[in-house]
């Protein structure tokens, strides 16, 4: 197969939408996916018949002769996602995300691959977002304290004067500060790919730092389910979405079809865009905003979201992106707003 795009994780929520758009654009597509039971309880029926599928794990070095035959572009979406239950999950994340990426890059190096290479990265590498203190200017908040969270004190404070910090847009040059194992593994993926590109001297590497992606084919009731999917499942069962903390956490919700389109822009052989890009809508909203919109679009009988005060120590308070670099260099601007997206999402098929 000549001029083929390899999409790892191409049977998943985001990867499958990328495959659909690539096939529709006339590209030859090969998918490698291990159909991990944490993400798939059955082989999806939405798999695009215009792509070739290889059922395999990237950590298996024996797959690459077939997987990379004729490949001139790589879209690396495969990853184990989620916060993890505790640090005991570290080995699983490192094996899936870091070892799998290392094996892929090793195989590409042996075949003198020249790119482009596109990585599904994540806003989780930033940890807490960007903040400023009214007295001390830009500051990095300390890790969240369990006692503060339990007492309902959710907003980060200035480590010097204890004033409440003001959240701001996070640019790509913000220092990474991963605050869970998944985040650390995504940052390591970026580092590995960046080193590979630098050593090759020819590979154009693009890291797309996804913000909160939602939309059709989103997994439900699995470790891969995002907050929008969890809320949607609750509403389907006649239950109120349980909104953690006070619901004021700010995020940027971006539709999966916009994310897929960003990947096609990065894979374009004539593109010169490289480095990291925030892939976001540019219209940040609170978690409670999203839950209320989803409930509103789910019908008059839908229960009202319930703010619970619960928390997860590995979560962050606010993180939302500056999308200007993606607009100016990648040519990407999100086209689907949250109101439109939630209207669709309220009735779309999940998996």
């Amino acid at each position: 197969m000549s001029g083929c795009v390899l999409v790892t994780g191409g049977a998943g929520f985001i990867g499958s939408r990328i495959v659909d758009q690539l096939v529709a654009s006339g590209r030859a597509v090969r998918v490698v996916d291990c159909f991990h039971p944490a993400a798939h309880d059955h082989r999806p029926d939405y798999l695009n018949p215009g792509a070739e599928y290889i059922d395999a794990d990237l950590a298996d070095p024996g797959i690459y002769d077939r997987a990379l035959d004729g490949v001139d572009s790589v879209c690396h979406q495969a990853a184990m996602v989620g916060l993890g239950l505790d640090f005991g999950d570290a080995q699983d994340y490192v094996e899936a995300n870091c070892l799998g990426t290392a094996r892929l890059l090793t195989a590409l190096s042996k075949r003198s691959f020249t790119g482009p290479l596109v990585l599904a990265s994540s806003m989780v590498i930033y940890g807490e977002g960007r903040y400023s203190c009214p007295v001390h200017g830009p500051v990095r908040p300390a890790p969240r304290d369990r006692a503060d969270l339990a007492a309902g004190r959710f907003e980060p404070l200035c480590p010097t004067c204890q004033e409440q910090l003001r959240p701001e847009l996070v640019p790509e040059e913000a220092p990474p500060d991963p605050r869970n194992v998944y985040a650390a593994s995504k940052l390591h993926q970026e580092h590995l790919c960046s080193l590979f590109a630098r050593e090759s001297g020819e590979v154009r590497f693009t890291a797309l730092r996804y913000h909160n992606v939602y939309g059709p084919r989103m997994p439900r009731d699995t470790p891969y389910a995002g907050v929008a999917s969890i809320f949607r499942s609750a509403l389907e069962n006649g239950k109120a979405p349980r909104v953690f903390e006070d619901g004021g956490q700010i995020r940027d919700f971006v539709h999966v079809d916009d994310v897929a389109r960003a990947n096609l822009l990065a894979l374009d052989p004539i593109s010169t865009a490289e480095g990291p890009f925030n892939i976001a809508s540019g219209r940040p909203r609170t978690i409670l905003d999203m839950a209320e919109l989803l409930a509103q679009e789910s019908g008059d009988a839908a229960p009202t979201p319930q703010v619970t005060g619960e928390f997860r120590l590995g979560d962050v308070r606010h993180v939302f992106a500056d999308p200007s670099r993606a607009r100016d260099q990648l040519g990407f601007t999100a086209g689907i707003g949250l109101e439109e997206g939630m209207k669709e999402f309220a009735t779309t098929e999940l998996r």
Side-chain angles (χ1 to χ4, degrees):
M1 187 181 290
S2 176
C4 179
V5 182
L6 175 68
V7 182
T8 71
F13 162 46
I14 299 172
S16 68
R17 304 296 276 202
I18 297 170
V19 169
D20 287 347
Q21 291 193 21
L22 284 168
V23 170
S25 74
R27 300 291 296 270
V29 181
R30 181 178 297 132
V31 171
V32 173
D33 200 299
C34 69
F35 296 92
H36 195 289
H40 301 276
D41 58 7
H42 64 282
R43 191 177 181 86
D45 58 8
Y46 55 68
L47 298 183
N48 194 306
E52 175 191 354
Y53 291 85
I54 299 175
D55 298 10
D57 192 318
L58 292 177
D60 177 3
I63 70 167
Y64 288 104
D65 284 342
R66 179 185 172 195
L68 295 179
D69 181 34
V71 164
D72 64 8
S73 306
V74 173
C75 184
H76 184 26
Q77 303 293 313
M80 181 177 178
V81 306
L83 291 178
L85 298 176
D86 54 44
F87 201 81
D89 295 328
Q91 179 174 319
D92 292 338
Y93 279 100
V94 170
E95 287 180 349
N97 299 351
C98 304
L99 179 59
T101 298
R103 288 264 165 83
L104 171 64
L105 296 176
T106 298
L108 291 172
S109 179
K110 289 178 178 177
R111 289 158 179 80
S112 300
F113 175 78
T114 58
L117 170 63
V118 179
L119 172 70
S121 188
S122 173
M123 55 85 173
V124 297
I125 70 164
Y126 297 125
E128 282 287 351
R130 185 172 184 167
Y131 294 87
S132 66
C133 170
V135 178
H136 296 98
V139 298
R140 296 291 289 174
R144 304 182 89 187
D145 181 76
R146 185 181 296 276
D148 284 341
L149 297 173
R153 296 187 291 270
F154 302 120
E155 294 294 343
L157 304 178
C158 175
T160 302
C161 68
Q162 299 302 300
E163 285 289 323
Q164 184 171 308
L165 298 176
R166 180 176 65 246
E168 299 179 341
L169 292 168
V170 181
E172 287 84 356
E173 62 269 21
D177 184 21
R179 298 198 174 195
N180 56 64
V181 171
Y182 168 62
S185 73
K186 295 305 290 183
L187 180 59
H188 191 48
Q189 282 185 311
E190 280 200 23
H191 287 164
L192 288 171
C193 291
S194 181
L195 287 167
F196 168 66
R198 187 175 68 188
E199 290 196 12
S200 80
E202 295 184 87
V203 172
R204 177 174 59 83
F205 166 55
T206 307
L208 303 182
R209 293 175 177 169
Y210 303 160
H211 283 249
N212 289 72
V213 187
Y214 71 96
R217 302 178 189 167
M218 198 171 189
R220 71 166 91 222
D221 303 327
T222 78
Y224 287 65
V227 65
S229 176
I230 293 168
F231 290 169
R232 161 72 192 278
S233 292
L235 288 164
E236 275 189 321
N237 292 316
K239 298 178 181 178
R242 296 177 63 82
V243 181
F244 281 16
E245 301 184 20
D246 60 0
Q249 309 94 304
I250 302 174
R251 298 290 188 271
D252 190 306
F253 298 96
V254 58
H255 194 277
V256 64
D257 287 343
D258 280 329
V259 172
R261 185 165 51 82
N263 277 271
L264 264 68
L265 290 168
L267 287 164
D268 189 327
I270 68 170
S271 173
T272 59
E274 57 186 332
F277 293 93
N278 286 322
I279 302 303
S281 74
R283 299 180 286 275
R285 304 287 286 269
T286 69
I287 298 285
L288 183 57
D289 282 342
M290 184 271 286
E292 289 176 339
L293 272 173
L294 183 57
Q296 175 184 315
E297 296 297 341
S298 298
D300 294 340
T304 301
Q306 177 185 359
V307 176
T308 70
E310 297 171 89
F311 63 88
R312 297 187 299 182
L313 196 60
D315 280 338
V316 298
R317 180 60 178 174
H318 305 299
V319 56
F320 50 98
D322 180 352
S324 59
R325 187 169 188 266
R327 180 195 65 219
D328 297 342
Q329 297 185 32
L330 188 62
F332 171 76
T333 301
I336 301 173
L338 190 61
E339 285 79 6
E340 177 187 354
M342 284 294 117
K343 188 179 186 67
E344 173 205 44
F345 189 66
T347 57
T348 193
E349 182 178 356
L350 303 184
R351 61 177 176 85

